[in-house]
Amino acid sequence: MSNGIQWVGEKIQTLKRVGPGGAYHRLMYKWISRERHRCFGTENPERTFYVIRGIDHECKHYCGVPLNLLAIHSYVLSHLLYAQQKGLLPVIDQRGDPVNNRESYPINGTNNPWEYFWRQPVPYTLEEVYDSRHVVLSKRSWYEPGNLGYSIASHQDLETIQGYYKLSSQIPLNEVTRKYIDEWLQKLFCNRGRILGVSLRRGGHARADHCYAPNHPIQPEPEELAAIVVKRLKEWNMDAVFLTTEEELYIELFRNIFGDRLICLPRVRYHGWRAYPSDQDPLYLPGQRYQTALDYLTEMELLSVCSGLIGSITSGLRYAIIQNNGKFEHLEILDCGRHPPSVK
């Protein structure tokens, strides 16, 4: 009885938050994308595989926003935790997922966007999994106990971050990606001393942006962030600044302030992200999507090896914090508030 009362209470709260239309769509998406148990063949009868499927943001009942590359990584971590708790063998299959870095041709010998960048957590191919007797297809939503979310305190808690680092170690970068990142690490960071990493993500996360990401932490204004970096460079005895951003305008702003102390990864960036029609986004044109995702991942990997880090929470900042495994000398997570929730 208590479980039934709790279920009714949760649905009432959902209705209050998103209205009856939103509640209906959420319930429908939850049902359509639920976990399923399948038998695909006779192989590996002594093992149970867990296929991690991505969120289907193209489903008409989905009420959230699409996940970018490193939000997907966080999502996968949540399901790795679930698989670990259930004693299942996890594999990630994004071949049918609507991911924004997908190209129409194989990348690094694969059509699975996950494998563009990372290895699988177990030594089985997807072909072997789909010939197996016991297969669990994951639900296509977060496993909430494994969702780190936007809590600043959780991102600063050493035990929590070390736990996520251990999960992340199950899905290392593939050789091609690791080589690309290591080459840029040597080119940009060699002989630069103590580096302060700075994350500035603006598109859809700026305070004044009318097309904002619901509930997402607001990003600092560029001038405000630059002023903080000036202070921390001196206080923390840093030699250089590594800035990650998708906007060329902010590179120029920081270059005017920090001169040759500024380090940036050369990559395609926006010149005002609202200046482009959706089908002409220079970062996500066919043939550019993989490179954009690779460069974004590279920036966050380089952030993770800096001596210090400043930024407001994004999936990229979260990734850098997890990959650093609690080794930053200084970590300052800025609290600029949150965007309001959406109502559908």
Side-chain angles (χ1 to χ4, degrees):
M1 177 66 72
S2 61
N3 287 340
I5 294 174
Q6 180 181 357
W7 185 89
V8 172
E10 289 175 352
K11 300 314 158 194
I12 291 174
Q13 290 304 312
T14 299
L15 285 169
K16 288 180 177 178
R17 185 170 65 253
V18 301
Y24 164 77
H25 285 295
R26 292 187 184 210
L27 289 172
M28 286 299 296
Y29 181 78
K30 184 176 181 180
W31 171 253
I32 292 170
S33 64
R34 68 192 183 278
E35 181 180 292
R36 300 168 187 261
H37 294 238
R38 292 286 185 266
C39 174
F40 291 106
T42 59
E43 299 300 312
N44 304 302
E46 74 286 1
R47 295 177 172 83
T48 301
F49 293 99
Y50 182 67
V51 177
I52 300 175
R53 304 184 295 167
I55 287 176
D56 183 8
H57 65 256
E58 293 181 349
C59 175
K60 67 180 181 179
H61 297 295
Y62 179 63
C63 296
V65 297
L67 302 185
N68 70 14
L69 180 72
L70 296 182
I72 289 173
H73 185 273
S74 293
Y75 169 89
V76 167
L77 292 184
S78 80
H79 282 272
L80 288 180
L81 178 61
Y82 177 82
Q84 178 179 287
Q85 293 172 345
K86 297 293 184 179
L88 306 173
L89 296 175
V91 293
I92 301 98
D93 186 2
Q94 291 185 336
R95 291 176 300 180
D97 294 350
V99 294
N100 65 359
N101 59 275
R102 181 192 306 278
E103 298 287 9
S104 61
Y105 47 86
I107 297 293
N108 299 329
T110 181
N111 289 308
N112 182 3
W114 175 261
E115 295 174 349
Y116 290 2
F117 310 101
W118 292 285
R119 290 160 53 187
Q120 292 284 1
V122 294
Y124 292 89
T125 66
L126 291 176
E127 289 70 27
E128 290 175 303
V129 170
Y130 288 118
D131 280 335
S132 297
R133 178 171 296 176
H134 305 293
V135 179
V136 179
L137 304 179
S138 79
K139 65 179 183 178
R140 304 188 71 171
S141 54
W142 291 79
Y143 175 58
E144 283 302 330
N147 183 1
L148 191 54
Y150 297 133
S151 166
I152 291 178
S154 295
H155 285 77
Q156 293 175 324
D157 181 76
L158 181 60
E159 184 177 353
T160 298
I161 294 305
Q162 289 178 336
Y164 278 92
Y165 177 80
K166 188 174 181 180
L167 281 174
S168 183
S169 298
Q170 297 180 33
I171 43 175
L173 297 168
N174 61 38
E175 290 185 12
V176 174
T177 307
R178 183 76 269 171
K179 183 174 183 291
Y180 183 86
I181 292 169
D182 286 346
E183 287 176 352
W184 277 114
L185 175 64
Q186 289 300 313
K187 290 178 183 178
L188 297 177
F189 282 16
C190 186
N191 299 321
R192 296 306 297 265
R194 293 162 50 76
I195 299 172
L196 175 57
V198 179
S199 173
L200 180 56
R201 176 85 187 278
R202 296 288 286 171
H205 305 319
R207 183 178 301 279
D209 201 317
H210 67 280
C211 187
Y212 57 81
N215 286 315
H216 197 284
I218 295 170
Q219 295 291 288
E221 293 303 306
E223 295 81 4
E224 170 191 0
L225 180 59
I228 294 172
V229 173
V230 168
K231 293 180 181 179
R232 299 299 180 259
L233 269 178
K234 182 176 181 180
E235 294 171 356
W236 297 346
N237 191 30
M238 298 289 177
D239 300 300
V241 176
F242 175 58
L243 175 64
T244 67
T245 181
E246 75 278 28
E247 281 284 357
E248 190 65 35
L249 176 64
Y250 307 141
I251 298 290
E252 296 170 4
L253 171 67
F254 272 64
R255 183 76 67 193
N256 289 336
I257 297 172
F258 299 102
D260 58 9
R261 300 178 75 182
L262 184 69
I263 304 170
C264 298
L265 177 73
R267 52 167 290 193
V268 175
R269 291 187 170 89
Y270 293 119
H271 292 268
W273 83 293
R274 289 295 178 200
Y276 310 95
S278 59
D279 61 346
Q280 296 179 28
D281 186 327
L283 274 63
Y284 293 99
L285 292 173
Q288 177 60 36
R289 296 166 184 160
Y290 165 68
Q291 188 63 48
T292 290
L294 178 60
D295 288 338
Y296 172 46
L297 175 58
T298 299
E299 285 185 322
M300 298 307 116
E301 281 280 340
L302 296 186
L303 278 184
S304 75
V305 299
C306 290
S307 298
L309 177 61
I310 297 176
S312 180
I313 293 177
T314 63
S315 57
L317 189 86
R318 179 188 303 123
Y319 180 89
I321 291 172
I322 290 173
Q323 297 308 112
N324 178 265
N325 196 24
K327 296 177 182 178
F328 286 120
E329 294 178 27
H330 302 279
L331 173 60
E332 184 170 352
I333 301 177
L334 305 175
D335 185 357
C336 304
R338 297 269 198 97
H339 285 298
S342 64
V343 177
K344 185 171 181 178

